[in-house]
Amino acid sequence: MTATLEAPASVPPEGLLSSRYRAPTLGIVLLVTLLAFDEMAVGTALPVTVRDLGGLPLYAWAFSATLIASLLANVLAGGWADVSGPTRPLLVGLAAFVAGLLVAGLAPGMGWFVAGRAIQGLGAGAAIVAMYVVIARAYPEELRPRVFSALAAAWVVPSLVGPTIAGLVAEHLHWRWVFLGLIPLVVPAIVMLVPALRQSGGGTGTLSRSRSLAAVAVAGGAALLLYGIDHAAVVLAVLLAVLGLTGLAAGLPRLLPPGTLRLRRGMPTAVAMRGLFAIGFFGTEAFVPLALTSLHGFTPTQAGIVLTVGALGWAGASWVQGRSTRSRPFFVILGAALVATGVTATVLTTPIYGWLAAPAWVVAGAGMGFGLSSLSVLVMNQSAPAAQGTNSAAMQISDTIGASLAVGIAGALVTGSAHLGEGIAAAGALTSLVAIVGVIAAFRVEAPHD
């Protein structure tokens, strides 16, 4: 008699909402939803805020201050997460984010508003890096594309209602409630995240003092450079710009993978591409509501609709890439091409007819959905456990330094122009050019073969 062995029944792969992954998935999605509401709301409410506080010269700083502070927090939180685990940096980050919402929402003048936005940046920068470490530790490699797809999906509700609600609140209540109204959302986010963070473990790396000093140099350098660009006195402007560039040159090589600034193949270019995506997309997005409300008489609600459709394109494209078997480099190249196309179309068509910005912005948003999620997967898959916080921080640094410089320089072009339309056109030309460069660089994200 011959015995036969039956093959064991195949076990279906676990999904993001299986019992093992349900808690971290819901906690992460809730956190991203909270941060997304703030991101989507501020652009719509800011034109009204500026008119109320009389701070058009500080318009770009409402974005740049957040991004520069976030850059500093990225590095400090990344090292902190490597040493002690992601729990403390994430909870401290959320506390700072709430404090920033309070300061911005109660600001008596534009200077206080910018300060509140900077505190928000510190909190969001720490929280987002800690969240990336949770993803790297909690999920196997094959589930990570779906996790980043879920992060994009978390933008759906804020994308649908965030800009529109922000516009309605700013028009019919007060712009202050756009910020103060987000504070209650923090409580359920923390409740959901605490059990998930307990599963993420402690630290395995070491804290680098040189990286912390480099982060201060980069954040300070970016602030000096942007202030110098905006300053009216030519001599002082040149001096501050030189000091700012010196800080960036001294700090960035210590914070990014070797070869990032030279677009070395593999992870260095993948990290650099995050910055190129940010310059093209966020540098343009910051001035879309201003262009629509100032040049075409759009209400804040109508301008919010344009941002909404772009974010929906982002979420939809990220959902597609998360379920596709195509390679990550393919989606990075596709995303770069769509961002360049969408940004350029937005810049060219918005002065002609405001509503043409909507379909163009959908294309740009789809490019971000395809590209950014795939870049995150590429970097995390190549990161050792002890370097997950550091490499997560490098991605966020590339994002924030790119976006802050783009918004700051574009803001200087806008506020320094004799006519608002000419300044917006010049800023758009700059971001379009960088987006096109990103298409060329995208072909270098694949690691070299041994």
Side-chain angles (χ1 to χ4, degrees):
M1 183 176 179
T2 303
T4 60
L5 295 177
E6 294 185 1
S10 60
V11 179
E14 292 187 279
L16 296 183
L17 294 179
S18 64
S19 59
R20 180 178 179 182
Y21 298 115
R22 185 179 301 118
T25 297
L26 294 178
I28 289 167
V29 168
L30 196 56
L31 169 61
V32 174
T33 301
L34 169 62
L35 298 178
F37 265 109
D38 175 67
E39 183 73 22
M40 295 303 300
V42 68
T44 307
L46 192 54
V48 179
T49 304
V50 167
R51 285 199 298 268
D52 186 28
L53 299 180
L56 182 60
L58 292 177
Y59 184 93
W61 279 98
F63 297 98
S64 296
T66 306
L67 294 169
I68 292 170
S70 178
L71 184 153
L72 179 62
N74 289 157
V75 179
L76 299 180
W80 191 4
D82 284 340
V83 171
S84 64
T87 301
R88 291 179 181 176
L90 193 144
L91 294 179
V92 170
L94 286 178
F97 181 70
V98 169
L101 289 172
L102 280 170
V103 174
L106 299 175
M110 197 64 185
W112 279 101
F113 180 80
V114 170
R117 293 286 295 154
I119 298 171
Q120 284 180 253
L122 288 172
I128 199 71
V129 167
M131 183 193 69
Y132 273 59
V133 176
V134 172
I135 291 172
R137 295 186 180 187
Y139 297 91
E141 184 175 323
E142 60 270 17
L143 279 182
R144 289 174 192 164
R146 295 192 180 185
V147 179
F148 287 108
S149 174
L151 298 191
W155 282 75
V156 170
V157 173
S159 299
L160 285 171
V161 302
T164 304
I165 287 181
L168 290 171
V169 169
E171 280 186 70
H172 302 293
L173 294 176
H174 203 284
W175 62 264
R176 297 183 186 277
W177 287 107
V178 173
F179 299 93
L180 299 176
L182 291 177
I183 294 174
L185 295 175
V186 175
V187 176
I190 293 176
V191 171
M192 290 297 303
L193 281 167
V194 168
L197 290 170
R198 288 174 179 168
Q199 302 173 16
S200 62
T204 57
T206 57
L207 186 63
S208 171
R209 182 181 178 184
S210 64
R211 282 181 56 82
S212 299
L213 293 175
V216 174
V218 170
L224 289 173
L225 175 61
L226 295 177
Y227 184 79
I229 291 171
D230 279 337
H231 206 278
V234 176
V235 175
L236 181 58
V238 171
L239 175 61
L240 292 176
V242 169
L243 291 174
L245 290 172
T246 301
L248 292 174
L252 279 177
R254 296 177 178 271
L255 302 178
L256 303 176
T260 298
L261 301 180
R262 293 183 285 107
L263 296 178
R264 180 186 297 173
R265 283 192 176 274
M267 183 186 290
T269 295
V271 170
M273 279 297 301
R274 296 276 299 215
L276 294 174
F277 271 108
I279 292 172
F281 186 85
F282 294 116
T284 306
E285 183 186 53
F287 295 95
V288 168
L290 182 63
L292 294 175
T293 55
S294 300
L295 303 181
H296 297 289
F298 275 38
T299 66
T301 304
Q302 291 171 326
I305 292 173
V306 175
L307 298 187
T308 293
V309 297
L312 288 175
W314 185 329
S318 187
W319 183 89
V320 171
Q321 66 81 33
R323 284 154 180 78
S324 173
T325 57
R326 287 273 199 171
S327 69
R328 298 301 103 192
F330 167 83
F331 282 116
V332 173
I333 295 169
L334 174 61
L338 291 177
V339 167
T341 301
V343 165
T344 303
T346 301
V347 171
L348 293 176
T349 60
T350 300
I352 300 171
Y353 180 62
W355 284 113
L356 290 175
W361 205 238
V362 170
V363 174
M368 295 294 281
F370 283 129
L372 253 64
S373 297
S374 296
L375 287 170
S376 299
V377 173
L378 281 172
V379 173
M380 286 294 95
N381 287 352
Q382 299 178 53
S383 299
Q388 289 164 348
T390 298
N391 289 339
S392 297
M395 286 194 293
Q396 296 305 311
I397 290 164
S398 185
D399 284 350
T400 53
I401 197 67
S404 62
L405 291 179
V407 173
I409 294 172
L413 292 173
V414 171
T415 58
S417 298
H419 301 286
L420 184 63
E422 294 176 358
I424 292 175
L430 174 65
T431 56
S432 295
L433 177 61
V434 174
I436 292 170
V437 171
V439 178
I440 301 171
F443 288 89
R444 300 180 59 83
V445 297
E446 189 169 12
H449 301 291
D450 296 328

